[in-house]
Amino acid sequence: MAEKITLYNYYVVFNMDTIYNAFYISVTKTIVIVVTNLFFTSMLAYTISRKEYIFRKFITTVFVLTMYFNAGLIPNYLLIKKLGLLNTFSVYWIPNIVSAFNLIVMRTYIKTIPESLIESAKIDGAREFHIYWRIVLPLITPCLATIALFVAVGSWNSWFDTFLYNSARQDLSTLQYELQKLLSSTMTAGTRGAPAGINEAGRAGTSGTGSGNVTTPQSIRAAITIFTSVPILLVYPFLQRYFIHGLAIGSVKE
C-alpha cells in the first residue's frame, strides 16, 4: 500500500471534547505562573541583593538548601491537601511563586547594577519599592525575559501536577494532561491490536474510520508534539526582541 500524507491525526486531536477548555486553562495557568513568579522572585532577589539587609545570607541559604533536599511526593501531596489547594486552580501557581534557581540567577544579575544608581535614587527620596519597580526591573529586562521563557516552557509542558492535584476536576484539566490521556489511550489501543474504527479514547476515533484513515500511537504522538510545540515557538520571536534591546531599556530617562 502506498503511503500518503494525511491530517487525520490532527482531526483526532482537535475532535476531543475537552481540548478547548483545557487549552484555555493551560494558557491562563502559564500566564499567571510567569507573572507571579517573575514579580515575587525578582522582588525577593532585590531584597537579598542589598548589603544592608542583615538576613540576606540566611534567606539565600534556606532557598539554596531547597535545591538539594526535597521532602518527596507524598509529603508534598499531604501539604497541598492540608493547605486546601487540592482541586483548585491555585494549586498551579501558588507553589510556583518563587523559584530557588531563578532567585539566585536574578540576585546575581541585580548585583551587576551600579550601586551609584540606587544611591542616587535614595538621595532623591525614592523608597525601596520605587527603586525596585522603576530602576531595577527595567535594567534586568534581559534576565526577566530569559527566565520568563524558561518558566513558561516548564509550565506549558507540565501535566503531572494536573494528574496529581486536579484529576478530579475536569474543568481544571490542562491541555498537556488531556493529550497525555489521549496518547495513553492510543498506545493501549495499539497494544491490544484494536481494529480500525474502534474508539478507545471515548471522545474521538483514535484507531481509524470507515473511510480508511488509520492512526497509530506513533502518528498521534507526532501530532501531539507539533500541536503542543507551536504556542511556545510563537513566544520565541517576541522574547528575542527583549534579549536584543533589553539592555538599553531603563538607561534613558523618561
Side-chain angles (χ1 to χ4, degrees):
M1 180 181 296
E3 296 182 355
K4 65 176 182 179
I5 298 177
T6 177
L7 299 178
Y8 181 72
N9 300 295
Y10 295 97
Y11 168 79
V12 172
V13 174
F14 283 104
N15 201 42
M16 296 175 61
D17 296 336
T18 58
I19 193 171
Y20 298 103
N21 181 73
F23 181 81
Y24 169 76
I25 294 296
S26 292
V27 172
T28 306
K29 164 193 170 186
T30 301
I31 294 175
V32 172
I33 289 178
V34 169
V35 172
T36 56
N37 185 277
L38 290 182
F39 176 73
F40 289 102
T41 302
S42 61
M43 187 163 53
L44 181 58
Y46 170 70
T47 302
I48 64 176
S49 69
R50 307 308 304 146
K51 296 180 180 180
E52 60 268 22
Y53 185 58
I54 60 176
F55 296 110
R56 67 183 189 280
K57 291 184 178 179
F58 172 76
I59 294 178
T60 302
T61 302
V62 170
F63 275 93
V64 169
L65 288 177
T66 63
M67 300 172 61
Y68 295 95
F69 301 99
N70 193 311
L73 183 62
I74 295 178
N76 284 335
Y77 179 85
L78 295 177
L79 175 62
I80 294 296
K81 184 178 181 180
K82 189 69 174 179
L83 293 175
L85 299 177
L86 207 61
N87 296 319
T88 65
F89 182 81
S90 300
V91 75
Y92 290 137
W93 65 274
I94 289 183
N96 297 296
I97 285 181
V98 177
S99 169
F101 178 79
N102 296 340
L103 176 66
I104 302 302
V105 172
M106 284 190 184
R107 184 206 61 175
T108 305
Y109 197 95
I110 291 174
K111 284 185 176 182
T112 62
I113 298 176
E115 188 68 24
S116 57
L117 290 178
I118 298 178
E119 291 179 355
S120 299
K122 289 183 178 180
I123 292 175
D124 292 337
R127 296 183 179 274
E128 292 293 344
F129 185 81
H130 183 82
I131 295 174
Y132 156 77
W133 187 258
R134 298 299 300 272
I135 298 178
V136 174
L137 281 187
L139 290 177
I140 65 172
T141 301
C143 180
L144 293 176
T146 303
I147 291 179
L149 184 60
F150 292 157
V151 174
V153 171
S155 174
W156 181 260
N157 290 333
S158 65
W159 64 271
F160 191 68
D161 52 351
T162 306
F163 168 74
L164 194 62
Y165 304 125
N166 277 338
S167 57
R169 290 281 303 273
Q170 182 61 51
D171 59 323
L172 293 178
S173 182
T174 57
L175 177 65
Q176 301 294 340
Y177 182 56
E178 291 300 316
L179 295 179
Q180 175 67 21
K181 291 193 295 184
L182 174 61
L183 179 59
S184 299
S185 66
T186 56
M187 295 185 68
T188 302
T191 303
R192 294 176 180 175
I198 292 182
N199 189 335
E200 286 288 341
R203 293 181 297 273
T206 58
S207 298
T209 64
S211 60
N213 291 316
V214 177
T215 63
T216 63
Q218 291 76 17
S219 62
I220 290 293
R221 186 184 300 115
I224 289 175
T225 300
I226 296 298
F227 179 67
T228 55
S229 299
V230 169
I232 290 298
L233 291 176
L234 295 177
V235 176
Y236 274 92
F238 175 77
L239 291 181
Q240 183 66 25
R241 180 180 63 179
Y242 290 92
F243 293 153
I244 297 174
H245 300 288
L247 288 174
I249 297 178
S251 62
V252 179
K253 184 177 181 180
E254 296 181 356

